[in-house]
Amino acid sequence: MKKWLLLAIAAMLLTGLSGCGKSVEEQINVGVASAQTVFEETPREPNKKIGQIELYLPSGYSIKETDDVNNYVISKGKDNYILFVNVNEKEDSKLHYELLKKNSAKKIVKEQPVELDGVFGFTMVIKHNDDQYELIASSGGVKLSTISNGRNMDDKLVEMMMIARSVEVIR
């Protein structure tokens, strides 16, 4: 009798806990809205210098250069991000956004373009397959992207926009 009671309680707890997590749709909506808020805030002060850029990296992130002077790999735990910095694009550049929008093969789940004081940026989520999404945060000629399995996408989008907004090209 005690075993069945313990099993029933354990099953109820697991069912209750599984309902506490945000759905993918909620994560996307919250993440995109929160990233827009970050875009509209004053960019973070850079705390890292690498190659021809300075940028802010939140705690737990690391960055390394690649063979291409415009690309960097940012890592946090098992997550890898590609940072692309086009030094020839101005802060009001819509190039990355327009290229993604024109690509009909991309399954855009949600997008949020934003302009503020002559700076253009956007957040976009693109579905790749059943459980993988491409997350993109961009500001001017800077684009940061990663592939996510549908977990913590809201937090990732916020941190990605913090990083993208902070990038300064050293001239």
Side-chain angles (χ1 to χ4, degrees):
M1 175 78 174
K2 287 183 181 179
K3 286 183 183 181
W4 289 111
L5 182 61
L6 287 174
L7 284 173
I9 292 172
M12 286 189 299
L13 283 173
L14 285 175
T15 302
L17 289 175
S18 66
C20 292
K22 293 179 198 162
S23 71
V24 167
E25 185 176 302
E26 287 174 309
Q27 289 181 64
I28 291 170
N29 289 333
V30 169
V32 168
S34 299
Q36 179 179 348
T37 301
V38 169
F39 183 91
E40 294 169 348
E41 295 172 350
T42 303
R44 301 282 177 118
E45 288 294 319
N47 60 5
K48 296 281 185 205
K49 179 181 175 185
I50 185 166
Q52 59 186 355
I53 64 168
E54 291 181 330
L55 74 162
Y56 170 78
L57 287 181
S59 178
Y61 284 83
S62 63
I63 186 169
K64 63 182 176 181
E65 291 182 83
T66 65
D67 293 337
D68 182 344
V69 296
N70 296 320
N71 288 305
Y72 302 86
V73 175
I74 296 177
S75 302
K76 180 181 181 185
K78 295 179 183 177
D79 295 321
N80 291 308
Y81 304 79
I82 301 297
L83 176 66
F84 175 76
V85 181
N86 185 338
V87 298
N88 299 314
E89 291 296 317
K90 296 182 179 177
E91 288 186 324
D92 64 351
S93 174
K94 296 180 181 179
L95 178 66
H96 297 301
Y97 182 71
E98 290 170 352
L99 288 172
L100 286 165
K101 290 288 288 177
K102 286 180 185 176
N103 187 343
S104 60
K106 300 283 186 185
K107 298 175 187 168
I108 299 171
V109 176
K110 185 141 182 116
E111 62 182 287
Q112 182 61 58
V114 60
E115 291 185 70
L116 179 70
D117 299 329
V119 180
F120 177 81
F122 69 93
T123 309
M124 189 176 286
V125 178
I126 299 170
K127 188 168 181 125
H128 276 256
N129 59 39
D130 288 341
D131 63 346
Q132 286 193 322
Y133 297 84
E134 181 177 2
L135 310 179
I136 302 168
S138 180
S139 178
V142 175
K143 182 178 88 169
L144 184 60
S145 61
T146 191
I147 300 296
S148 177
N149 61 0
R151 290 192 322 220
N152 302 319
M153 291 192 298
D154 47 352
D155 295 332
K156 289 176 186 176
L157 285 166
V158 167
E159 291 175 344
M160 289 169 67
M161 186 56 81
M162 266 187 226
I163 294 167
R165 282 287 283 151
S166 74
V167 173
E168 296 176 11
V169 176
I170 303 167
R171 302 213 185 250

